[in-house]
Amino acid sequence: MDAQYNPRTVEEVFRDFKGRRAGLVRALTADVEDFFRQCDPEKENLCLYGFPNEHWEVNLPAEEVPPELPEPALGINFARDGMQEKDWLSMVAVHSDAWLLSVAFYFGARFGFDKNDRKRLFGMINDLPTIFEVVSGKSKAKPTSANNHSNSKSKSSNKTKSSEPRAKQPKPQPQPPVKNEGREEEGGLDDEEGGGGGGGREEEHGETLCGACGESYGADEFWICCDICEKWFHGKCVKITPAKAEHIKQYKCPSCSGGSNGSGGGGGSGNGKRARPS
């Protein structure tokens, strides 16, 4: 609509960007009632234009093909009554942001901006909040101190998470109260598996596949073995937690229990369920 206006320097393109942006922000905030009224879904495809003089306009798209400048999103009026007003305005804001960038970099390409010019232009643009951020209320940037607090909180959270595996590893394998002979057999099995300072267990973990999802053993994962078919399963795959496992005397996987939820049969006097902690 203002095709004859051709900024040629980075500063001129940025001024053009700011003027168009100000007009679009006004349409979606201060003049929102007027903008809403003009976007009648009964009309043809409409576009929202912003101009360097900080004005805005709802109009039909340019007739020439290709247009002199990149065109805004087409048909914004059709979605007006099918969405909540806030969501509709946010959608138009997102498309307006994309259009502003396309116009700015169109000028940059047309007048031969090099890598440094494009980088400088984008840096100047990026210092401004987007139209979407203004319309949605997210442009109220958090103070630096808050960001630092967030970063420190994130670091603290990461430290906590990284320490969790160390806290879980010493936890003994959950063993339910079962008959003595079952505990002795289990003890013998543990001795065989753990006999070389843990090397055998690591090797076994690497070769074991989950009977439910087929994935191999991973560090910091809780596993449980079916006392019937002796297949190993991720606890999460059969919905068994370490706490729940402690109350299961004999674990039966979903297949062996006839399609149950995997909590295992409770009765038998078998060798007791075996579970791997992380």
Side-chain angles (χ1 to χ4, degrees), residues 248-262:
I248 301 175
K249 293 183 179 180
Q250 185 183 47
Y251 174 67
K252 293 181 183 179
C253 68
S255 297
C256 294
S257 59
S260 68
N261 63 3

Side-chain angles (χ1 to χ4, degrees), residues 172-246:
Q173 296 183 3
Q175 298 292 347
V178 296
K179 291 187 177 181
N180 290 335
E181 59 268 22
R183 294 293 294 121
E184 290 172 359
E185 286 183 31
E186 183 63 26
L189 179 62
D190 287 346
D191 290 341
E192 290 179 5
E193 289 181 352
R201 179 177 297 277
E202 291 295 330
E203 182 178 352
E204 179 190 354
H205 285 186
E207 297 174 352
T208 304
L209 300 179
C210 175
C213 67
E215 296 292 333
S216 60
Y217 171 80
D220 306 328
E221 292 181 322
F222 173 75
W223 281 48
I224 189 167
C225 181
C226 176
D227 285 308
I228 307 301
C229 64
E230 296 191 349
K231 290 182 180 179
W232 287 92
F233 298 85
H234 289 108
K236 62 183 179 181
C237 290
V238 290
K239 300 181 180 179
I240 299 293
T241 62
K244 191 174 182 179
E246 294 184 10

